Amino acid sequence: MAAAAELGSLSAGVRTMFFMLTPNESAFEKVEDVPQYVQQATPFFVGLMVLELVVGVLKTGGSVVPLGDGLTSISAGMISRLPLLVMRGCELTAYMYVWDRYCLVELPWDSAWTWWFTFLGVDFCYYWVHRFAHEVSIIWAAHQVHHSSEYYNLTTALRQSLTQQFTSWIFYLPLALVAPPAIFAVHIQLNLLYQFWIHTELIRDLGPLEWVFNTPKHHRVHHGRNLYCIDKNYGGILIIWDRLFGTFALESDKVVYGLVFPIKTFEILYVQLHYYLYLWRRSNTYKTISNKLSTFVKGPSWKPGKARLGDHIDNPKVSKYKILRSHHFHSNAPGMLSQLTVLGMTVYILLTLTALGYIIDQRPTAAVLETLRCVVMVTMQRYSYMTPLLPSLAVATEVRRPVVCYNAL
């Protein structure tokens, strides 16, 4: 029985990642009963990333996940969950507030029609969340984090913003007038989880599914900085919204990933916050209040005298024949660390980030994992593989076991 239950749980976990759960197994009356699908998906995130790494090596002969870029993406994912330490998700909190006070029609929570209606509603609202995140500079300041990688792999899906959740909740409020919060809580998670697996270059084309669903092929375009890719393919699970609203583009020329103006750094706080400072400095260059405000509420490419979204005249030219990517590691570079040292550092960083995630999620094994991390850190310091940030505070302490003598009577 235990083996069957574990197999069933594994099957449900895999199906959760690909939006293959049925209404019967994912409809709940109360928000408190809704599983933490995103939290439970951590093993599947890791498993799929490892699978992509192995398949990538077999297909291309090299890694599809550069070390620095991958660690930056994973770090961004960890940081994006920090607000959950002190508050429930903004989207669900605001949604429940509107539902409790302004609900117009209370759809039955146990109806398959309600489940499917909420699915369409969440995906439709997500389209506009995503589109506004590209068309309003102050929201783009948060979302640009996700686009800052110059690579496209499953770790890129984890490169999330610390601040975007503070604005995205607004777009889901109309749905709160009719759809039960518990069903919304299910779909807001399933929508996010579906978008994980489409961040890969290894899946090229899915045939007829490309007409209806957002796929790796469509989402690669969204992450491109080629002129034909910019501000295209905003869909979450469905691509039909882009086809309806004129923002759809097919993949054609080789996609070059990343921001139009690459940031060329792996420093995680800079990746998260630099664009806010940029907007502030840019607004200060204008004289009128109108232009100052327009810096924040119009498109990232806007300038005085141009349309709301601006244009792309000043964009750097992107060549389809020569793709330049920064931050490659070269084995013949002077002073390069040995492969064994780099591997050890990578394992320690991943252990640290995992321990942080366990602490944030308040898992029962968080203390054990953090203790292990501390033991590894002390061992690395003991054998000079790590230098303390403040050496004066690193005091060697020797602990001896007390010796107890018993006198024979």
Side-chain angles (χ1 to χ4, degrees), residues 215-283:
T215 64
K217 182 178 181 179
H218 295 326
H219 205 58
R220 282 194 292 270
V221 171
H222 179 72
H223 273 259
R225 53 189 169 105
N226 313 57
L227 194 58
Y228 84 93
C229 297
I230 296 175
D231 296 339
K232 299 296 182 181
N233 298 2
Y234 296 116
I237 295 178
L238 301 175
I239 202 66
I240 58 173
W241 313 120
D242 290 284
R243 296 183 185 275
L244 286 172
F245 297 114
T247 53
F248 176 73
L250 277 172
E251 185 179 39
S252 54
D253 292 343
K254 172 66 178 177
V255 177
V256 181
Y257 304 108
L259 300 172
V260 170
F261 297 95
I263 55 177
K264 294 181 169 59
T265 182
F266 295 137
E267 203 285 296
I268 189 61
L269 290 180
Y270 183 86
V271 171
Q272 289 280 347
L273 303 173
H274 77 97
Y275 203 83
Y276 292 104
L277 182 60
Y278 164 76
L279 288 178
W280 176 255
R281 289 172 175 171
R282 182 178 161 192
S283 70

Side-chain angles (χ1 to χ4, degrees), residues 46-212:
V46 175
L48 288 173
M49 287 190 291
V50 171
L51 179 62
E52 181 189 42
L53 190 62
V54 172
V55 174
V57 170
L58 294 176
K59 290 187 66 174
T60 67
S63 174
V64 297
V65 185
L67 176 64
D69 190 82
L71 290 178
T72 301
S73 294
I74 295 171
S75 299
M78 295 290 186
I79 288 177
S80 70
R81 295 179 61 82
L82 289 177
L84 299 181
L85 284 172
V86 295
M87 60 184 293
R88 184 161 54 183
C90 291
E91 292 160 343
L92 186 56
T93 301
Y95 192 98
M96 292 178 67
Y97 180 88
V98 172
W99 169 267
D100 290 338
R101 290 164 176 78
Y102 306 107
C103 174
L104 300 178
V105 179
E106 187 171 339
L107 297 179
W109 68 269
D110 54 352
S111 167
W113 290 105
T114 300
W115 196 92
W116 285 110
F117 172 81
T118 307
F119 154 64
L120 290 173
V122 167
D123 203 60
F124 176 77
C125 292
Y126 175 81
Y127 170 86
W128 291 105
V129 169
H130 202 177
R131 183 166 176 173
F132 270 71
H134 281 256
E135 295 186 356
V136 178
S137 289
I138 191 62
I139 310 179
W140 170 248
H143 187 60
Q144 59 82 30
V145 176
H146 183 61
H147 285 263
S148 61
S149 174
E150 295 179 47
Y151 298 86
Y152 191 74
N153 51 65
L154 293 179
T155 67
T156 308
L158 302 180
R159 188 179 286 227
Q160 298 294 327
S161 169
L162 173 67
T163 57
Q164 186 165 354
Q165 62 182 298
F166 299 126
T167 55
S168 60
W169 59 270
I170 300 170
F171 297 86
Y172 296 102
L173 296 185
L175 195 60
L177 300 176
V178 294
I183 307 301
F184 170 78
V186 169
H187 282 291
I188 198 69
Q189 294 186 81
L190 297 184
N191 193 282
L192 176 64
L193 290 175
Y194 177 91
Q195 294 179 57
F196 175 77
W197 72 273
I198 63 176
H199 289 81
T200 183
E201 291 188 287
L202 298 181
I203 300 174
R204 302 310 303 177
D205 193 292
L206 293 177
L209 295 178
E210 305 282 351
W211 284 95
V212 178

Side-chain angles (χ1 to χ4, degrees), residues 12 15-16 19-30 33-35 37 109-111 114-116 118-119 181-187 189-190:
R15 289 184 291 113
T16 298
F19 195 76
M20 296 175 68
L21 294 181
T22 66
N24 287 340
E25 62 185 324
S26 56
F28 303 90
E29 182 178 7
K30 299 178 181 178
D33 297 332
V34 177
Y37 291 116
W109 68 269
D110 54 352
S111 167
T114 300
W115 196 92
W116 285 110
T118 307
F119 154 64
I183 307 301
F184 170 78
V186 169
H187 282 291
Q189 294 186 81
L190 297 184

Side-chain angles (χ1 to χ4, degrees), residues 351-408:
L351 179 61
T352 300
L353 293 173
T354 304
L356 176 61
Y358 273 49
I359 292 171
I360 292 174
D361 291 337
Q362 299 181 9
R363 297 195 184 187
T365 55
V368 175
L369 196 61
E370 175 62 9
T371 300
L372 175 61
R373 187 195 69 82
C374 292
V375 170
V376 173
M377 180 188 70
V378 171
T379 303
M380 293 176 69
Q381 288 189 5
R382 173 65 179 81
Y383 293 99
S384 302
Y385 286 104
M386 178 186 292
T387 303
L389 186 62
L390 297 174
S392 60
L393 297 180
V395 180
T397 303
E398 184 175 357
V399 179
R400 293 180 180 272
R401 182 179 178 182
V403 178
V404 181
C405 298
Y406 295 93
N407 295 323

